[in-house]
Amino acid sequence: MNIETSEFHWGMVIDLDRCTGCGACVTACQAENNIPISEQDGIANGRNLHWIRIERYWEGEFPHVRARFLPMLCQHCDDAPCEPVCPVYASYHNPEGLNGQVYNRCVGTRYCANNCPYAVRVFNFFNPKWPKPLEQQLSPDVTVRSRGVMEKCSFCIQRIRRGKEQASLENRKLLDGEVMPACAQTCPPQAIIFGDLNDPDSRVSKLARSPRRFRLFEDLGTEPSVIYLKGGGHDHPG
Amino acid sequence: MKRRSFLQLSGMSLASSMLAGCRKGNEKLIPFLVPPEDGAIPGIANYYASTCRQCPAGCGVLVRVHEGRAQKVEGNPHHPVNQGKLCARGQAMLQELYHPDRIKQPLKRTGIRGSGQFIPISWDEALKQLAGALAPYQQKEQEGLLLFSAPLRGSLARLTGDFLQHFPKAQHLAWEPLSPEWLQQGLFGNPGIPDYDLGNTQYLLSFGADFLESHLSPVRYGHGFGHMRQERQTVRGRYSYIGPRLSLTAASADRWLPARPGTEWALAFGIIRRLLQEKSFDASALQAAGLSVTNVTELVANFNVQRVAEIADISPTEIRATINEAVSISPALALVGEMTAWQSNGSAAVAAVELLNLMLGNINRPGGLYFTPATDAHISSNYAELTGLIERMQQKKVQLALIYGCNPVFSIPSDSNFSAALANIPQIISFASFLDETSLQADLILPDHSNLESWGDIVPPAGTRQQVIGLIQPVVKPLHNTRAFPDVLLALAKGMGGNLAMQLPHESYLQWLEEDLIKRIPDLFIGDRRQQMDHLLQQGGWFGPELEPISPKALKRPERVVSPEFSGAQEQYPLQLQVYASVNFYDGRSSHLPWLQQLPDPMTTVVWGNWLEINPQTARKLGVNQGDLVEVSSPAGKLTLPAVLYPGLRPEVVACPIGQGHQGLGRYADRRGENPLKLIKETEASKQRLTWGGTRVQVRRLAASSGLVTAGHAEGSYHRDLLGL
Amino acid sequence: MTTRANRYDAVRMNREMLSSMSPPTWRWYLLAAVLGAVVAFGLYAFTVQVTTGMGVTGINRPVMWGIYIISFVFWVGLSHSGTMVSAILRLSKASWRRPILRGAEAMTVFSISVAGLFPLIHLGRNWIFYYLLPYPNQRGLWPNFRSPLLFDMVAINTYIIGSTIFLYIGLLPDLAVVRDCSSGWKKKIYAILAMGWRGSAEQWQVFSRGSTLLACLIIPVAVSVHSIVAWDFAVTLVPGWHSTIFAPYFVIGAITSGVAAVITLMIVIRKLFKLEEFLQPVHFDNMAKLLLAVCLLWSYFYFSEVFTTWYAHKPIEWEIFSFMSSRYGIMLLIMMLGNTIVPIIGLCFRQVRRSLPALLVITLLVNLAMFIERFLIVVPSLSHKNIPFIWGSYTPSWVELAIMVASFALFFLLYTLFAKFFPILAITDVREQEEVLLGSQQNGRTRLETLVKEE
């Protein structure tokens, strides 16, 4: 669904030449979005609830070995495969190009997760638990999801809202870089850049025009809003 | 929420919205009759600036506080160290505050040491007992008082110093495993920790320095790394890493040179030799440092490409290419880190790399490194002092130990017998927030505040060209009945009376801190003191003007580097063990935080545990598969660990991260994995400096399953081709 | 004389064919109790799932669908049995279908009903399943008609309703017979159920026209139901699922499993009700030939799918096949044996086609293989989806297995109950066939030319 009625089209650029794979974004996201703690068993059983993950791929054999990192989060596709298959519109497209997920609408068919080629949708297999007083950290801006619902990266929609409200209170337009998801905000090498793709002068738009740009599974026609910049210059043989 | 209350609430909100609809507009909500004292307004978040203490780097943070609860830690964009960025460990600081297993009030031991049996006591009683224990040591000749802490800087260093003055024979040992003492004792001595200008360099060469994960100031260097790679319009900085293990830091390099452990320095000599040949070295810097060209030429004369390649066991082509790059691209910056320094020849190897930087003309130039004068009080001890202390403890010369801000039982190799020596101390008093290995041995625990409840200051030991005093302020009210360590010192002073009370009359550590700040930056507090202080707290500290860099003098002549020594016979122990600081847990102090336990290790993607990395070729020979349980034995001990096949490792090397293997430290860390420091064999030489990279081990397969959990699919991790990456 | 002899025969036949409805024996009670217990255990497992969460299943990321969806597809496939016999054989006027007609139709209704339970069991939040229904609500929210799951719901409901009507219409004359043979409150109930069937010529005419019409209508429904189930998979981007062949392939698979189930049913009913004279070896021979044909078709479809994948060798799709053959190699082998090798080779031989023990083994094997086939469609594709970093695998948990076993028990329990309360043999149809031999048929006071003229 490509109908946009808003002036914004949120997008993200991830520069793989900058990404060091450190994992700061993962924890920042977990803190920001009330993501439950997954115990060892849960992760062993494929129930990790992280919204963003760093994929590490090995290449070659010693001594010509490389490790490549690929931060993977919801790609907020313009033509999202998860949206049409949801029978209850829990997965929907918002006017600003975001893939929304309505937790209280979701019945848990998990069809969206199957149809997501990026495998970024996670399912609440159990009710989340935070031993007291860990629950005091939870942010009131983000719903704590109950069991049986799907969830995924929201591009920190609560921060976008907050930014827009602040801008409208001050009767001005939202500035480029004013709104940042937790991952982009914390990323030490600034590999993650977030902004409005509709604004040709925004930092994200400029970077998105880089010759190093590529999108994952472009052939599937999902039109992701996350644009990767190729990690370059690896002149290591192999 | 119960359905009834939900209905009530929804009814109320419906009614109120209807009522509101009757009025014209909604200009005002009903104000509080009594505004909340702490300024906590429902629905409004406040940001408080503070400083991170998860590692010594001292990154500035902003904490989002919502109705009195800390919700999110973010980097402070105005802080010169981290420029708004923060690592995973810093993010997880919140869980230290809200950890379910924090010590909630003073405890007194009832069972035997280590049994974990304590009874809660009141602060009055705890302080009385502590004061009673301390009192005898105020006498001139009374020996046996020890304060064991992490290295202290700034205000707290001064307060402890002032406090301990009244105990004439007291010993203060301030040590932690990752403290860069080896760099401070390098070629230039103090001030040994320069500011590396990664962001502006064109060629970066890391000699075993894992600067993106644990070395000195990872967030700052991470930020610089991003800048070096892609921030400049036309230049993409190139970067090579030399070291036996493809660490997270090495993984980002354009070229990885898998040198034998303890041979990285040979490359530095190779480059210096070429610089001398081409006469493209910085002669003036060499002269200014007090070194002679002939001396250096002699030293590196034999280090042609072939020799370097032989020593390090790397293909000559790679060595030649690296040397070419290092001498032709300018500025080229060399970093040296723990993997090199923790070898028996580490001291000379570190000096070799420092000499390389000097010859490359990097001193005090953009894209190089800046030496700035030491600006603040600093209490730090080296490894030799630590081993000396252990001897004294074994000789029962320590009667009372105060342990603050560190966990030595965990972070000192068991071969050095620290725990046994600790048992000799009749009275141990801990200020820990958690029941860790060390505080479990304590007789009395006076729990410290969490970082987010404390006052304090941090002077970043490495990484800024300006003078920085990061301030720590409480962002929430203390959760439990705990007290900050410096407040305990002041309360003790008051309680013990005499000179001590005269000299330390401060009501609280905040008062001390303010007075101390005024002393350190007098011109800052010209106007309203309160207002100035508030301003500093708001911006997260005091960020002074850029300091005039100093040109360092070499303290010693660079020396020949000998081959590294390894303890253990090669026949019995064919593999070399390299331990390294965990990306997630640093030196093990963060292992109790579930977010970090859950965070996949970036290289192995292991969660909730630790592992032994083995090169797949070696593993094949040993019959070991991914996830098998193996036994690692060294002359010092034996451990059982899950095996991880790690292609980025030399075949004769196995590696294990430090950080797991706690006995205690709360439910998330307790008995999870193993502590590889139990394998480190201490030698006579290693008593002088930390040589944790010099132990040989043997690996034996025990069983097929080990409970190893990885976030990434072991086989899928080799299929990047399917992504078109 | 003929009439009297007929009448006598009719009464005897009625009694014989209603024997299944005689008061239950302890064996029956035992069977019902065992089945009930299994169902109860399944209910307990479901309760555990509902109260603790989907985590008690083996479902994970990336394998978000498991045994529940596999069972769903299996039962939908099985439901094609009734359609096959009642509709196709009816239209093709194969008269030997008559004794098994009712049994097969009941099988359809029960298996599609059991199938319909699975999507609901499978939901993460079953308690709000009604969000899937287009019911009027204050929020003005409708379900998403673009979602194949909604197609599914519509198709399954249509099939349940359609096949129930089909079964019920066929039952009418027999219910009248039961009504006539029973007394007391039972008679009242059956009288209501028989809807005033008197067996008049007009009623018979309407009946026969209606049955034929329904038979024509139910076939496209059956085809569409399984096509839609196939599209649940085929319309996605999942490698190994996204394939145009899936709809016809699923339909053939369903017919394969339906035909095999009908043969199994024929063997069981023949044995239970001693219908040796009705179900003769030639009938089994015919059905076996049909099974051979659909097995050949199925194998052809399967080959086409694997062949094109292998030839194109698109990395991710081939990865899924390689993964399937390594991780689930034994299952793949059983599937190939059960769906292709054993039936195709075995059914080529006349002796096998006419040997009931051999047929029983083959047909059960075919259905086992069909269950495995569904497993191998659902699980490997999800396990090794596009992102290699989070590849996984799937092993069902006890909860899922308990619910799956309970679904079989529920099916048999429903079937047993049905056989106790309704005539499991189509009395009128069988009598009709009897009377075919006599050339005419007595229906009430009218005498009609027989409706069937075959053999």
Side-chain angles (χ1 to χ4, degrees), chain C residues 350-365:
Chain C
R350 192 182 150 89
Q351 294 96 311
V352 176
R353 290 202 301 270
R354 290 181 177 232
S355 147
L356 297 193
L359 275 183
L360 186 67
V361 170
I362 288 177
T363 53
L364 287 177
L365 189 62

Side-chain angles (χ1 to χ4, degrees), chain B residues 190-191 372-376 550:
Chain B
N190 256 335
T372 47
T375 52
D376 226 312
I550 53 167

Side-chain angles (χ1 to χ4, degrees), chain C residues 95 98 430-441 450-455:
Chain C
S95 76
R98 290 166 190 282
V430 176
R431 269 172 52 191
E432 205 178 359
Q433 189 186 3
E434 281 283 271
E435 290 167 13
V436 166
L437 306 170
L438 303 168
S440 63
Q441 188 180 1
T450 47
L451 295 164
V452 237
K453 292 190 175 62
E454 72 264 42
E455 289 193 325

Side-chain angles (χ1 to χ4, degrees), chain B residues 316-552:
Chain B
T317 339
E318 300 272 303
I319 296 286
R320 188 171 295 115
T322 314
I323 293 178
N324 284 344
E325 285 167 357
V327 298
S328 61
I329 305 174
S330 178
L333 175 65
L335 282 175
V336 58
E338 284 78 3
M339 291 306 265
T340 298
W342 285 359
Q343 301 294 337
S344 64
N345 61 1
S347 165
V350 169
V353 181
E354 289 184 302
L355 178 66
L356 172 64
N357 265 329
L358 189 74
M359 308 264 305
L360 284 167
N362 280 335
I363 308 297
N364 301 335
R365 74 158 172 188
L369 42 101
Y370 290 88
F371 282 91
T372 47
T375 52
D376 226 312
H378 178 206
I379 304 174
S380 170
S381 317
N382 60 36
Y383 205 66
E385 288 170 87
L386 175 65
T387 41
L389 169 73
I390 295 171
E391 261 170 47
R392 288 190 56 224
M393 281 160 65
Q394 280 167 336
Q395 295 156 6
K396 305 198 175 176
K397 286 187 179 161
V398 178
Q399 263 74 47
L400 170 63
L402 310 179
I403 301 178
Y404 163 68
C406 58
N407 184 4
V409 175
F410 177 83
S411 51
I412 298 175
S414 32
D415 195 43
S416 44
N417 290 323
F418 180 82
S419 356
L422 194 69
N424 287 341
I425 302 177
Q427 203 167 15
I428 304 170
I429 292 163
S430 166
F431 300 90
S433 293
F434 290 88
L435 283 174
D436 57 24
E437 288 85 346
T438 312
S439 54
L440 274 171
Q441 305 295 325
D443 305 301
L444 190 63
I445 303 176
L446 289 78
D448 192 12
H449 279 337
S450 144
N451 192 36
L452 293 173
E453 302 160 328
S454 314
W455 290 101
D457 67 339
I458 290 266
V459 181
T464 50
R465 293 182 54 198
Q466 63 197 113
Q467 195 185 346
V468 172
I469 299 173
L471 287 177
I472 301 170
Q473 64 171 322
V475 303
V476 293
K477 285 180 185 158
L479 246 67
H480 308 297
N481 188 14
T482 55
R483 274 194 205 183
F485 170 69
D487 278 323
V488 172
L489 291 188
L490 291 172
L492 274 176
K494 198 177 230 176
M496 293 175 80
N499 267 346
L500 195 54
M502 298 264 284
Q503 277 207 357
L504 299 171
H506 306 79
E507 278 304 311
S508 68
Y509 180 51
L510 174 62
Q511 194 192 350
W512 165 276
L513 185 66
E514 278 182 17
E515 282 179 18
D516 191 57
L517 281 174
I518 293 167
K519 275 185 223 153
R520 280 147 85 189
I521 23 179
D523 42 341
L524 200 72
F525 290 92
I526 323 165
D528 179 9
R529 186 170 143 183
R530 189 73 260 147
Q531 214 177 346
Q532 293 294 348
M533 187 68 189
D534 283 351
H535 175 69
L536 287 187
L537 288 172
Q538 251 173 30
Q539 63 176 28
W542 180 68
F543 315 131
E546 207 156 282
L547 292 162
E548 190 62 38
I550 53 167
S551 14

